[in-house]
Amino acid sequence: MALTKVTHDVLEGRYTSAQAVTSAATVTLDTSSHNVFTWTLGHNVEIKFTNVKIGTTATVVVTGASSAYTVTLPTSDGINGASSTFNRVSGTLDNSNNTKNLIEFKFISTSECWYQISQIAS
């Protein structure tokens, strides 16, 4: 039996694409379409995820905009529109002007994920 290599070129688009998101009060991220999501905070935002499967990952890059905007993850309908658990491993959001925050989500079920927040080291 010949071994087959899995290359970047054969991965589904959701593993290899990014989406620029428009700031809004609620942002719903479709994990079946993209793996990386980016935007600059312009609102207090609630982040929700759709089409999550066990093992899905999502990378969110949020840039601060010099205001005290907040980012929340709703437990009532945050993952696939159902009751959700978000477990923060480490880090806090820095919404200072032009500060980039990398938020990495790992979904361990279709209703629970672990996440961490980090910024670029100076």
Side-chain angles (χ1 to χ4, degrees), residues 1 3 18 22 26 30 37-38 40 42 58 64-65 67 77-78 87 94 100-101 103-104 121:
M1 173 188 287
L3 295 177
T22 301
T26 301
D30 183 352
F37 304 89
T38 63
T40 298
S67 296
D77 62 349
N87 302 300
D94 182 345
K100 288 186 178 182
N101 296 272
I103 310 172
E104 299 170 296

Side-chain angles (χ1 to χ4, degrees), residues 81-95:
S83 180
S84 312
T85 302
F86 292 93
N87 302 300
R88 183 169 57 90
V89 176
S90 64
T92 56
L93 184 77
D94 182 345
N95 58 10

